[in-house]
Amino acid sequence: AQKVTQAQTEISVVEKEDVTLDCVYETRDTTYYLFWYKQPPSGELVFLIRRNSFDEQNEISGRYSWNFQKSTSSFNFTITASQVVDSAVYFCALKGSRETSGSRLTFGEGTQLTVNP
Amino acid sequence: DGGITQSPKYLFRKEGQNVTLSCEQNLNHDAMYWYRQDPGQGLRLIYYSQIVNDFQKGDIAEGYSVSREKKESFPLTVTSAQKNPTAFYLCASSLTSGADTQYFGPGTRLTVL
């Protein structure tokens, strides 16, 4: 069975602070895919990043960066110099192989990030 | 513009009534999905379709039904058998049902009165 844990239910920071959202996953698959989505108050899930299990290289996109560590089964997301517009619920998700998990995308319960001015 | 549309944005239903939520995509994606989100929780898979005229149950399919007669459309019917249908419903699609990224529509908020 697959599982994604986002231990931080809510995080509140002041604008310009850096913030890291934690994601820990469990899977028996050797090939799998990890995702981060952002859900602003409007409700639509916005895709942020996808990472394959065989590519542990960290990624940076503007103020966003992701740290993938297979040794600790973690895929953490850092926002540098946070802004009010970053306020949203962020979901980490896992997709395993089609044989073991079908087409399921397993979501964590999300982290509500509030950035205060 | 390519994307996924869901209608209506808000839907109110009386107990005992069936209601159908629309999901359309013009991304030429083979696979489509329906998720349910309850307050403060993650998304749970209701049904998914890997290709036209084919669909499979997800983790919480009871009380729901779907059809996939056209590649672009994947409507979800919430039946009166669904015990607690008030929730936010999200439709998604991906190029195939394998490793491809799922992209989401804007969602429909269903409230049972």
Side-chain angles (χ1 to χ4, degrees):
Chain A
Q2 299 182 146
K3 185 177 180 182
V4 176
T5 301
Q6 294 180 256
Q8 304 149 310
T9 305
E10 295 181 24
I11 299 176
S12 182
V13 299
V14 176
E15 208 169 17
K16 297 184 184 177
E17 283 186 24
D18 298 347
V19 58
T20 295
L21 309 181
D22 297 333
C23 173
V24 175
Y25 62 91
E26 296 175 30
T27 181
R28 293 180 182 176
D29 292 334
T30 53
T31 300
Y32 52 89
Y33 305 87
L34 295 161
F35 303 82
W36 276 95
Y37 288 88
K38 174 182 179 179
Q39 187 176 41
S42 61
E44 181 173 352
L45 256 71
V46 178
F47 166 71
L48 295 177
I49 190 172
R50 168 188 138 155
R51 177 57 81 212
N52 306 328
S53 57
F54 45 85
D55 180 5
E56 285 194 73
Q57 190 171 9
N58 292 326
E59 183 156 339
I60 299 174
S61 176
R63 296 184 296 108
Y64 294 172
S65 63
W66 291 269
N67 182 2
F68 175 32
Q69 292 197 339
K70 287 179 77 170
S71 59
T72 55
S73 297
S74 65
F75 186 43
N76 297 337
F77 173 30
T78 297
I79 302 175
T80 304
S82 60
Q83 299 176 2
V84 173
V85 294
D86 295 327
S87 297
V89 180
Y90 290 87
F91 289 97
C92 181
L94 166 69
K95 192 170 196 181
S97 68
R98 190 183 304 194
E99 292 73 29
T100 59
S101 61
S103 296
R104 277 168 177 67
L105 192 58
T106 300
F107 285 86
E109 295 198 348
T111 297
Q112 170 71 62
L113 174 65
T114 301
V115 182
N116 299 299
Chain B
D1 282 358
I4 302 170
T5 57
Q6 291 186 242
S7 60
K9 189 172 177 65
Y10 298 96
L11 188 56
F12 298 90
R13 187 194 96 176
K14 293 182 179 179
E15 278 194 40
Q17 287 182 340
N18 292 354
V19 63
T20 297
L21 282 60
S22 168
C23 177
E24 304 275 334
Q25 55 95 3
N26 61 4
L27 300 168
N28 201 31
H29 285 174
D30 281 332
M32 298 185 74
Y33 312 81
W34 274 105
Y35 292 89
R36 168 181 172 141
Q37 185 180 24
D38 293 287
Q41 297 187 29
L43 281 68
R44 292 181 290 168
L45 183 64
I46 304 173
Y47 267 99
Y48 65 98
S49 168
Q50 297 181 73
I51 201 164
V52 176
N53 293 321
D54 176 74
F55 51 82
Q56 287 82 40
K57 292 181 179 180
D59 299 318
I60 55 165
E62 185 175 350
Y64 299 97
S65 66
V66 293
S67 62
R68 186 85 186 277
E69 297 175 1
K70 296 188 299 182
K71 187 175 186 177
E72 304 78 21
S73 179
F74 190 41
L76 173 75
T77 297
V78 184
T79 74
S80 56
Q82 167 52 231
K83 297 276 187 279
N84 185 20
T86 295
F88 187 51
Y89 291 86
L90 285 154
C91 177
S93 72
S94 61
L95 190 60
T96 69
S97 61
D100 297 305
T101 299
Q102 293 183 20
Y103 296 93
F104 286 79
T108 292
R109 194 167 298 280
L110 173 64
T111 303
V112 174
L113 304 172

